[in-house]
Amino acid sequence: MQVPLMRLQCGVNSYEWGKVGKESAAAKFASATPSKEFSIQDEKPYAELWMGTHPSLPSKDLETQRTLLDLVQDNQALMSPDISKRYGKKLPFLFKVLSIRKALSIQAHPNKKLAEKLHEKDPENYPDDNHKPEMTIAITPFDGLCGFRPLAEISHFLNNVPALRKLIGESASKEFESSVKSREMSDKADDMEKNKKALQTAFAALMNASQDSIGAAAKELVASAEKDGKDFAGEGGPSNGGKELADLVVRLNGQFEGDIGLFVLFFLNYVKLQVGEAMFLKADDIHAYLSGDIMECMASSDNVVRAGFTPKFKDVSTLTSMLTYSYAPISEQKMHPVDYPYVTLSSAAYSSNSSAVLYDPPIEEFSVVKTDLKKQGAKATFEAIAGPSIFICTAGAGKISVGPKTEEVKTGYVFFVGATAECVLESSEEEFTTFKAFCDLTGKEDAGNGKL
């Protein structure tokens, strides 16, 4: 039988928000693998590198040029019979590199039930019937808007950002404040349900404001941000400084002038991730990525419900009705990686402080391991798992081996490793960083207690 190790050729999407030319990690990684269809153009934005079987941009076996989808459907052992059966003979995850120059749309991804409904009703805008929980790991400094802020922070902004209060309306603002007052921090189910309803009402009032009123309020907001500096928005509130938020408003207005997103940011957590930090977004969680390069892993779907920071189709009524309206500080969405228990590091790897850490979200479709080998000759031996893996090298160089087959690895190279195959990484430099996305339904990855 063929050794289940193959180098992949992966496609790149060119969206307007992507980093330009060689500044884009997605483009640089893609260009590491020869392709007649792809060469980096200096003025063109490159947004996403896709690694997987999703039909919109399926990866190919570099040697045979067959799609990975064809290969795993022809040979179910590559994914394992269990995974192949459960996920319709398709890889259960989609692995991406995103290179973000300007804000992505304010968006959420539907849960499975809603995805099926949206796809049936509007297949042009909702191209498949799957849910799309996703995990983000920063490979350069990143910032974004993720999940609703604690309610006390939203109340603070309603009282200290006049343009925001005007847009939502005085009665809707008062109703929100009185509804959540004295129970913002309550963990009683009844209180939390009432809080979510109050949040939904206020947020829907904002999202349904007229274009004329948004335009006028945005001018007032930007003028205040430019004038007030550190005093902006009541000195910013507990999570962000006034100057930080003022700069953010001015920056985003430069990208999407007069957009509703300038006000949405007062409802959402503004988060910054350093390299290696990660967060998990459930289906129906609202977010907008703003800048940086990230590894992103998600259930294999391309469904997006958008409502701001975008020239694309907006579906405000679906977005405002589908959200969970969970509210929490961003610390509750950040993940806490743990040492991956199913890898053996060589003595050269141990002595150089090399590591393999597991990011394990509370869903079954995927987990990710980041491996840093910090010495020439350092090795990491991954035990066989009952599912498929995709590896990408994001820095340095080395080798990857499965059984008798060994392949050279350079920055940007991508490999598929089939189920039940032991895999060895070996560094040929002082730095060799890889990310491995995988699915294992046996629960083996849970043993590191990496769940949120």
Side-chain angles (χ1 to χ4, degrees):
M1 184 184 154
Q2 183 189 10
V3 176
L5 170 67
M6 66 184 87
R7 187 167 160 205
L8 299 179
Q9 186 178 75
C10 302
V12 184
N13 282 321
S14 176
Y15 301 138
E16 204 265 333
W17 50 261
K19 290 189 177 181
V20 175
K22 291 188 174 77
E23 289 179 8
S24 166
K28 281 190 293 187
F29 294 164
S31 69
T33 300
S35 166
K36 288 176 187 170
E37 291 90 42
F38 182 73
S39 61
I40 298 177
Q41 297 172 36
D42 289 344
E43 303 301 315
K44 190 172 180 178
Y46 297 100
E48 299 182 339
L49 176 76
W50 283 30
M51 299 167 277
T53 59
H54 195 284
S56 296
L57 196 60
S59 302
K60 295 176 184 174
D61 175 12
L62 180 62
E63 189 179 339
T64 66
Q65 288 297 293
R66 290 184 70 193
T67 68
L68 183 58
L69 182 59
D70 279 348
L71 292 164
V72 299
Q73 289 183 336
D74 276 0
N75 183 359
Q76 292 185 33
L78 286 171
M79 292 207 300
S80 88
D82 284 352
I83 288 173
S84 196
K85 184 179 177 184
R86 182 171 302 197
Y87 295 106
K89 299 183 181 178
K90 297 170 192 165
L91 205 63
F93 59 83
L94 178 59
F95 204 20
K96 293 184 185 181
V97 177
L98 269 61
S99 292
I100 305 157
R101 176 179 54 88
K102 61 185 281 190
L104 277 70
S105 56
I106 293 162
Q107 60 185 255
H109 307 297
N111 61 42
K112 187 80 174 85
K113 197 171 173 184
L114 179 59
E116 288 168 357
K117 276 190 195 166
L118 292 172
H119 177 62
E120 188 178 352
K121 186 175 116 186
D122 185 1
E124 186 181 342
N125 287 302
Y126 301 104
D128 58 69
D129 62 0
N130 201 12
H131 69 163
K132 193 180 173 185
E134 63 189 30
M135 178 169 67
T136 295
I137 307 170
I139 56 174
T140 64
F142 160 90
D143 69 340
L145 303 171
C146 302
F148 285 103
R149 293 175 180 271
L151 300 179
E153 291 189 27
I154 297 171
S155 293
H156 167 86
F157 290 128
L158 284 173
N159 279 299
N160 287 281
V161 182
L164 174 67
R165 193 176 187 95
K166 212 177 284 180
L167 205 51
I168 290 173
E170 186 60 31
S171 73
S173 298
K174 277 183 175 167
E175 187 185 334
F176 173 79
E177 289 163 343
S178 63
S179 294
V180 304
K181 193 173 184 183
S182 78
R183 62 163 185 253
E184 297 108 319
M185 306 298 291
S186 172
D187 57 4
K188 291 179 185 169
D190 187 47
D191 285 344
M192 290 172 76
E193 204 46 48
K194 286 175 183 168
N195 285 344
K196 286 179 181 181
K197 284 203 168 90
L199 178 55
Q200 180 173 6
T201 301
F203 187 66
L206 172 66
M207 296 306 294
N208 287 295
S210 72
Q211 262 325 112
D212 286 348
S213 58
I214 293 167
K219 284 180 181 165
E220 183 184 335
L221 181 73
V222 172
S224 173
E226 290 173 336
K227 177 173 68 76
D228 295 343
K230 68 180 177 58
D231 296 324
F232 178 67
E235 300 182 352
S239 299
N240 308 111
K243 179 77 164 62
E244 181 179 46
L245 288 178
D247 290 348
L248 182 61
V249 165
V250 171
R251 173 180 137 204
L252 293 175
N253 189 62
Q255 297 174 6
F256 293 94
E257 187 175 353
D259 194 270
I260 187 67
L262 302 176
F263 297 93
V264 172
L265 69 87
F266 295 106
F267 276 77
L268 305 187
N269 289 300
Y270 176 49
V271 60
K272 293 181 177 180
L273 297 181
Q274 297 308 311
V275 175
E277 288 191 306
M279 62 186 180
F280 175 68
L281 295 160
K282 300 186 293 291
D284 300 336
D285 273 356
I286 188 168
H287 59 283
Y289 297 160
L290 302 180
S291 71
D293 297 285
I294 58 173
M295 301 303 307
E296 188 179 50
C297 201
M298 64 196 67
S300 189
S301 169
D302 198 25
N303 283 325
V304 184
V305 183
R306 300 178 182 88
F309 290 152
T310 182
K312 293 183 181 177
F313 171 69
K314 296 176 188 176
D315 194 346
V316 171
S317 63
T318 298
L319 184 90
T320 53
S321 63
M322 71 183 270
L323 297 174
T324 60
Y325 292 97
S326 296
Y327 50 90
I330 196 61
S331 57
E332 291 190 21
Q333 278 186 306
K334 281 191 179 181
M335 299 189 72
H336 304 285
V338 297
D339 289 339
Y340 181 55
Y342 298 108
V343 66
T344 302
L345 298 178
S346 68
S347 57
Y350 270 118
S351 65
S352 57
N353 203 27
S354 298
S355 61
V357 295
L358 172 68
Y359 301 85
D360 193 21
I363 55 166
E364 64 180 18
E365 283 95 335
F366 61 84
S367 303
V368 173
V369 175
K370 179 184 186 227
T371 306
D372 288 293
L373 297 178
K374 299 181 178 178
K375 187 177 183 180
Q376 189 173 354
K379 285 185 184 179
T381 302
F382 288 86
E383 292 179 24
I385 58 168
S389 303
I390 288 181
F391 285 82
I392 180 171
C393 173
T394 58
K399 297 175 195 166
I400 185 169
S401 302
V402 171
K405 187 174 181 180
T406 297
E407 294 260 8
E408 179 186 33
V409 184
K410 292 183 178 176
T411 301
Y413 284 20
V414 182
F415 292 88
F416 175 86
V417 175
T420 71
E422 182 181 272
C423 176
V424 182
L425 297 175
E426 180 178 352
S427 181
S428 54
E429 297 182 354
E430 298 300 303
E431 175 187 34
F432 183 35
T433 299
T434 62
F435 287 85
K436 162 187 159 163
F438 67 99
C439 177
D440 179 2
L441 299 180
T442 65
K444 191 171 182 179
E445 79 277 13
D446 297 351
N449 295 317
K451 294 282 186 203
L452 285 173

